[in-house]
């Protein structure tokens, strides 16, 4: 699955994915981090405000890998043997408790111990203090998804736990360290298209784009046969009709045919509902390149989240925002401020005050 330590993302259209990555890159002339590009893009994509609010909050700097929750972000599909299905969001809730770093402490660690988070995780596992996460799902029917007040296939939105409570389904434990970091971590090739039987995608547009792009990334990074590398290979081995290409290391299919159907046996798909896809998946609407319309719904959840913070955390959020936004031109500051005010008047006031305190000429 496409996982993150936040339940949402900045954008919902896969066509924007390359652009948000480009906006986070270093300036092509100075080769320095570029807050102008960052805030220019975010201010022109108001649906990013929810994720920006989380990023600039205390949870934006977790105290290592062990003290953060995890989320599937996207809505996925669980398929039963008879082909019936439900939509689910996955939650991984840390048993170690949430811990975050103050920006000043994070800055100090970045200079004195940039390996802090990696060392903390490695040492905990090495001493037998295995980090664990309780695994939960939110479950909704197809009808509930279509009638929900927010589009559940919009990855910039959360699905309220009051409306769809968490159901515990398991526990994830990290109980060993890699013997060789390059072989087992650097060469690990994750992609949301790699799904086990019983799990299928949803109509989430960002997920649909990621089904293609992540596997393409791994092919570019590791080669066409990346799935034959031991860390990526199924325990039962790789069985398909692929052959040749660089680094084909599993016998290359021997002398068997590499097409299906054939008359000589070998691997074959079952294509059974409940194994590979839902049964009777309803679709409707007009096919086309559709854009999203920005509405009040794109600001509501960010405003609700901000109002949940204590007064002190609200000030830290505003200060964190002002640190970068104050370096952008005033016209970008004004455009972004409108989004904060639209989410919450208190949000807008605090950010505006923090910008002025940072020297902005608003």
């Amino acid at each position: 699955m496409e996982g993150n330590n936040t339940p949402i993302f900045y954008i919902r259209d896969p066509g924007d994915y390359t652009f948000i990555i480009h906006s986070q890159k270093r300036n092509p002339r100075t080769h320095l981090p570029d807050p102008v590009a960052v805030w220019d893009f975010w201010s022109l994509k108001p649906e990013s405000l929810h994720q920006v609010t989380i990023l600039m909050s205390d949870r934006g700097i977790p105290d290592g890998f062990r003290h953060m929750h995890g989320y599937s972000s996207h809505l996925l599909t669980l398929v039963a043997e008879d082909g019936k299905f439900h939509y689910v969001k996955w939650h991984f809730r840390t048993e170690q408790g949430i811990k975050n770093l103050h920006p000043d402490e994070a800055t100090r660690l970045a200079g004195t111990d940039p390996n802090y988070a990696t060392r903390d995780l490695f040492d905990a596992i090495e001493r037998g203090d295995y980090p664990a996460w309780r695994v939960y799902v939110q479950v909704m029917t197809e009808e509930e998804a279509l009638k929900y007040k927010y589009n559940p296939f919009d990855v910039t939105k959360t699905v309220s736990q009051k409306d769809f409570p968490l159901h515990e389904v398991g526990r994830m434990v990290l109980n060993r360290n890699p013997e060789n970091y390059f072989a087992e971590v650097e060469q690990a090739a994750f992609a949301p298209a790699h799904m086990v039987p019983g799990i299928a995608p949803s109509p989430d547009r960002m997920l649909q784009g990621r089904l293609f792009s992540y596997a393409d990334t791994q092919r570019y990074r590791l080669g066409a046969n990346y799935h034959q590398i031991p860390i990526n290979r199924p325990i039962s081995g790789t069985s398909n009709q692929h052959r040749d290409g660089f680094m084909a290391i599993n016998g290359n299919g021997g002398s068997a045919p590499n097409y299906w159907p054939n008359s000589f046996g070998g691997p074959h798909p079952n294509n059974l509902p409940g194994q590979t896809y839902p049964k009777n998946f309803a679709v409707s609407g007009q096919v086309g390149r559709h854009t999203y319309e920005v509405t009040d719904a794109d600001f509501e959840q960010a405003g609700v989240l901000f109002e949940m913070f204590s007064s002190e955390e609200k000030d830290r959020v505003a200060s964190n925002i002002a640190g970068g936004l104050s370096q952008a031109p005033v016209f970008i500051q004004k455009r972004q401020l409108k989004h904060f005010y639209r989410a919450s008047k208190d949000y807008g006031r605090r950010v505006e005050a923090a910008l002025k305190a940072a020297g902005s000429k608003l």
Side-chain angles (χ1 to χ4, degrees):
M1 68 179 65
E2 165 61 32
N4 209 336
N5 68 324
T6 63
I8 52 174
F9 197 57
Y10 299 95
I11 54 173
R12 53 198 171 192
D13 187 335
D16 292 330
Y17 195 80
T18 55
F19 299 132
I20 189 170
I21 299 301
H22 293 173
S23 74
Q24 310 295 304
K25 298 290 187 180
R26 291 174 179 266
N27 183 279
R29 183 164 184 250
T30 66
H31 197 59
L32 295 171
D34 193 350
V36 176
V38 169
W39 285 103
D40 187 34
F41 183 84
W42 285 347
S43 66
L44 292 168
K45 284 289 178 181
E47 65 268 27
S48 67
L49 184 59
H50 195 185
Q51 175 79 327
V52 168
T53 304
I54 295 178
L55 178 68
M56 298 297 173
S57 74
D58 291 352
R59 293 200 182 190
I61 315 179
D63 187 351
F65 298 112
R66 297 184 299 131
H67 298 286
M68 63 173 77
H69 293 329
Y71 308 88
S72 65
S73 300
H74 298 291
L75 208 63
L76 295 171
T77 307
L78 287 186
V79 190
E81 291 184 5
D82 60 3
K84 295 179 180 178
F85 66 93
H86 287 78
Y87 293 122
V88 298
K89 282 205 173 193
W90 296 78
H91 297 247
F92 299 77
R93 301 181 71 86
T94 177
E95 294 184 5
Q96 292 70 238
I98 291 289
K99 286 178 62 179
N100 305 302
L101 294 172
H102 189 279
D104 292 342
E105 175 66 4
T107 300
R108 185 190 70 80
L109 285 172
T112 61
D113 188 7
N115 300 303
Y116 169 81
T118 300
R119 181 182 296 106
D120 174 75
L121 178 61
F122 182 91
D123 289 350
I125 296 173
E126 202 70 359
R127 66 175 177 262
D129 183 13
Y130 302 134
W133 286 258
R134 294 281 176 181
V135 183
Y136 300 83
V137 291
Q138 288 176 284
V139 183
M140 59 171 51
T141 65
E142 183 180 24
E143 183 179 11
E144 287 171 330
L146 293 174
K147 293 181 177 180
Y148 194 52
K149 57 189 175 184
Y150 299 113
N151 178 3
F153 307 117
D154 177 350
V155 74
T156 68
K157 307 286 191 301
T158 57
V159 173
S160 170
Q161 294 177 27
K162 293 180 180 179
D163 300 329
F164 296 93
L166 298 179
H167 300 276
E168 187 170 351
V169 295
R171 189 168 181 256
M172 183 180 77
V173 181
L174 302 183
N175 60 8
R176 79 169 181 89
N177 282 310
E179 287 300 316
N180 183 283
Y181 190 88
F182 181 85
E184 299 179 56
V185 179
E186 289 290 341
Q187 291 193 123
F190 294 98
H194 298 164
M195 293 187 177
V196 298
I199 299 181
S202 76
D204 183 322
R205 284 168 62 172
M206 274 296 295
L207 175 58
Q208 292 292 324
R210 282 169 160 161
L211 294 177
F212 291 95
S213 65
Y214 280 53
D216 280 349
T217 297
Q218 307 300 359
R219 281 185 282 269
Y220 175 81
R221 187 172 70 91
L222 299 169
N225 290 302
Y226 71 86
H227 53 279
Q228 295 181 26
I229 298 172
I231 192 62
N232 300 318
R233 187 177 61 227
I235 294 173
S236 60
T238 305
S239 299
N240 53 43
Q241 275 78 36
H242 295 293
R243 174 172 284 163
D244 302 337
F246 293 115
M247 301 302 292
I249 59 174
N250 66 348
N252 206 31
S255 60
N258 67 324
Y259 55 88
W260 180 263
N262 71 69
S263 305
F264 307 100
H268 61 278
N270 56 36
N271 288 325
L272 296 176
Q275 292 291 311
T276 50
Y277 59 88
K279 187 177 181 180
N280 299 328
F281 191 95
V283 295
S284 62
Q286 300 294 317
V287 175
R289 181 69 169 88
H290 299 289
T291 59
Y292 279 101
E293 179 185 355
V294 175
T295 69
D296 288 342
D298 293 307
F299 302 89
E300 289 172 0
Q301 292 190 351
V304 169
L305 176 62
F306 186 80
E307 293 304 329
M308 291 173 61
F309 298 151
S310 67
S311 181
E312 293 77 12
E313 186 170 2
K314 287 179 179 180
D315 285 338
R316 289 194 293 271
V317 170
S319 177
N320 291 338
I321 290 169
L325 184 54
S326 63
Q327 300 177 57
V330 170
F331 77 90
I332 293 178
Q333 296 179 35
K334 289 181 177 179
R335 185 166 62 207
Q336 183 66 37
L337 265 178
K338 291 179 181 178
H339 304 329
F340 295 130
Y341 274 109
R342 191 168 175 181
S344 159
K345 288 184 173 59
D346 188 30
Y347 200 169
R349 282 193 296 265
R350 288 180 190 251
V351 172
E352 184 172 4
L355 284 169
K356 291 177 178 177
S360 170
K361 300 187 183 305
L362 280 170

